[in-house]
């Protein structure tokens, strides 16, 4: 792409966002996806896969903090964490901030994303790929959760949208596999799209998760480059109390770890489970 050319996202028909490309840093088809990384004056370095924005330097912290610290502070004693996808390394960086976590496994289908993000988006992983607790597995996430003998306290599905390789991570088989490799009182969370524009994805996830988990809902945050309103994060566990902790408990756990965030706070944690009526209506109609 030439300088100042406009890169248009192709996630939705008839509606979208664009970025001016100040400098293209990398573009190639990996084994699985069309990967591009470019510089943009408003959001810094931007990475997209198959025409869909995955992450930007400027607003990635919102998404990575909310998909990491909400389940980890809710759990309170997570030792083993599984990240599905997450090739840009931002989720790994946030999980690695928790001193009580002893083992972090990341199952990423595309080694190219890891390699090129380590090189072109170094602030995302911020050295976390060298954390001694970390293990990288290159595989389809649904294969791993269906076959592993390992058990986890928290599973974070940080995948692309349910098109292309990401589709398998929104299936009943995947959710059944996650349920089988979660410890008791384990928590599953997943990026589930912008519900105003991708409402069916939230409804489908809710329906497909419910046979395997007794407490299935969503929480939310607005991430500017996941445009169109709030992004919903799927939440599933077999202990509803994990979602009903007093704010004081969350504050105490936050203080114990000395983790200071740019978006996440215990109050935001609690408030993020409040969902718009249109989504509640769509979920109850199921
Ligand atoms: N923050 C982004 C979002 O919300 O759309 C996701 C970012 S991360 C780059 C998405 C990662 O999921 C990519 O690295 C992609 O290669 C990986 N991925 C897609 N399908 C996968 C699968 N079936 N198994 C494991 N990783 C997968």
């Amino acid at each position: 792409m030439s300088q100042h050319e406009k890169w248009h996202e192709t996630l939705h028909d008839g509606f979208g966002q664009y970025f001016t490309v100040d400098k293209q840093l990398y573009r190639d088809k990996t084994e699985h996806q069309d990967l591009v990384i470019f510089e943009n004056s408003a959001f810094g370095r931007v990475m997209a896969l198959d025409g869909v924005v995955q992450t930007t330097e400027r607003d990635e912290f919102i998404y990575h903090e909310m998909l990491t610290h909400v389940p980890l502070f809710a759990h309170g004693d997570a030792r083993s964490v599984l990240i599905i996808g997450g090739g840009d390394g931002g989720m790994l960086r946030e999980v690695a901030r928790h001193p009580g976590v002893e083992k972090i496994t990341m199952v990423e289908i595309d080694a190219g994303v890891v390699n090129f993000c380590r090189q072109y988006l170094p602030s995302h992983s911020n050295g976390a790929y060298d954390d001694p607790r970390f293990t990288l597995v290159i595989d389809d996430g649904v294969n791993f959760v269906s076959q592993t003998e390992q058990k986890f306290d928290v599973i974070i599905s940080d995948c692309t949208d349910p098109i292309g390789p990401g589709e398998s991570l929104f299936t009943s088989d995947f959710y059944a596999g996650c349920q089988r490799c979660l410890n008791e009182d384990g928590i599953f969370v997943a990026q589930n799209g912008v519900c105003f524009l991708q409402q069916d994805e939230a409804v489908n996830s809710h329906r497909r998760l419910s046979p395997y988990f007794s407490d299935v809902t969503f929480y939310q945050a607005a991430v500017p480059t996941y445009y169109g309103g709030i992004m919903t994060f799927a939440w599933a566990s077999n202990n509803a109390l994990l979602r009903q902790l007093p704010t004081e408990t969350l504050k105490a756990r936050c203080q114990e770890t000395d983790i200071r965030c740019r978006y996440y706070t215990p109050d935001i944690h609690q408030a993020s489970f409040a969902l718009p009526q249109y989504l509640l209506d769509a979920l109850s109609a199921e």
Side-chain angles (χ1 to χ4, degrees), residues 33 47 49 52-55 63-64 84-88 107-110 113 139-142 158-161 165-169 191 226 231:
Q33 299 163 113
M47 189 267 275
L49 290 171
V52 181
V53 170
Q54 297 298 305
T55 189
Y63 170 83
H64 292 122
I84 304 290
D88 54 71
V107 182
E108 164 58 58
I109 199 168
D110 194 333
V113 177
D139 195 1
D140 186 324
V142 69
D158 173 21
C159 65
T160 46
D161 290 282
E167 196 167 1
S168 64
L169 303 184
Q191 83 86 357
Y226 301 149
M231 169 170 258

Side-chain angles (χ1 to χ4, degrees), residues 58-67 93 221-224 233 262-264:
R58 185 164 177 206
D59 70 355
E60 58 86 6
F61 69 94
I62 301 170
Y63 170 83
H64 292 122
E65 288 181 11
M66 287 302 282
L67 255 188
R93 179 196 70 219
V223 184
F233 306 110
R262 296 170 57 202
Y263 184 86
Y264 175 92

Side-chain angles (χ1 to χ4, degrees), residues 187-209:
I187 299 171
F188 169 82
V189 292
Q191 83 86 357
N192 221 127
V194 170
C195 58
F196 187 77
L197 297 169
Q198 299 163 288
Q199 184 171 293
D200 289 351
E201 292 175 27
V203 171
N204 289 336
S205 295
H206 189 271
R207 182 176 68 250
R208 292 173 186 158
L209 281 162

Side-chain angles (χ1 to χ4, degrees), residues 67-94:
L67 255 188
T68 297
H69 304 308
V70 170
L72 283 173
F73 283 129
H75 185 282
D77 187 27
R79 309 294 175 89
S80 175
V81 177
L82 173 60
I83 300 168
I84 304 290
D88 54 71
M91 207 67 70
L92 171 60
R93 179 196 70 219
E94 290 302 310

Side-chain angles (χ1 to χ4, degrees), residues 15-63:
F15 171 76
Q17 64 181 341
Y18 75 84
F19 297 78
T20 51
V21 177
D22 296 335
K23 184 180 180 186
Q24 180 173 296
L25 299 172
Y26 182 81
R27 172 143 212 185
D28 196 3
K29 267 194 175 302
T30 69
E31 183 191 349
H32 295 277
Q33 299 163 113
D34 176 357
L35 186 152
V36 64
I37 300 177
F38 57 83
E39 285 182 354
N40 168 266
S41 56
F43 282 95
R45 293 187 175 188
V46 179
M47 189 267 275
L49 290 171
D50 293 337
V52 181
V53 170
Q54 297 298 305
T55 189
T56 82
E57 280 181 324
R58 185 164 177 206
D59 70 355
E60 58 86 6
F61 69 94
I62 301 170
Y63 170 83

